[in-house]
Amino acid sequence: MKHRCPICKKATDSEVHKDFPFCGERCRVLDLGAWASEKYVVSDPIFDEEELEVADPEDARRKPNDTIH
Ligand SMILES: [Zn+2]
């Protein structure tokens, strides 16, 4: 069975690579690390959303003033 390594996109073969679908142990460990860091990323966007919500009302206020002008 052929597949692509999810980490480096290298072609992998289940008959050749024992870490299939990863090309090797390095990519398998990297994938575990990616999952672990994704858990941290999930809690981070809260800050991004707050920043966007704060920035939007300011733009909404400025634009009507400019168009009335
Ligand atoms: Zn790989």
Side-chain angles (χ1 to χ4, degrees):
M1 186 185 169
K2 294 201 174 181
H3 200 71
R4 274 181 192 277
C5 173
I7 300 299
C8 66
K9 310 296 181 195
K10 209 158 72 176
T12 55
D13 195 322
S14 59
E15 286 175 27
V16 180
H17 299 91
K18 66 181 170 81
D19 290 303
F20 186 82
F22 305 101
C23 66
E25 193 184 348
R26 198 179 70 96
C27 284
R28 188 162 54 86
V29 170
L30 276 172
D31 187 64
L32 285 173
W35 275 102
S37 61
E38 264 181 49
K39 280 181 189 171
Y40 289 108
V41 171
V42 168
S43 60
D44 275 341
I46 292 164
F47 290 100
D48 289 338
E49 278 175 34
E50 275 180 27
E51 274 179 48
L52 283 172
E53 276 178 37
V54 170
D56 273 349
E58 271 184 47
D59 282 346
R61 272 184 218 153
R62 275 181 209 160
K63 273 172 194 171
N65 285 342
D66 284 347
T67 44
I68 288 163
H69 219 335

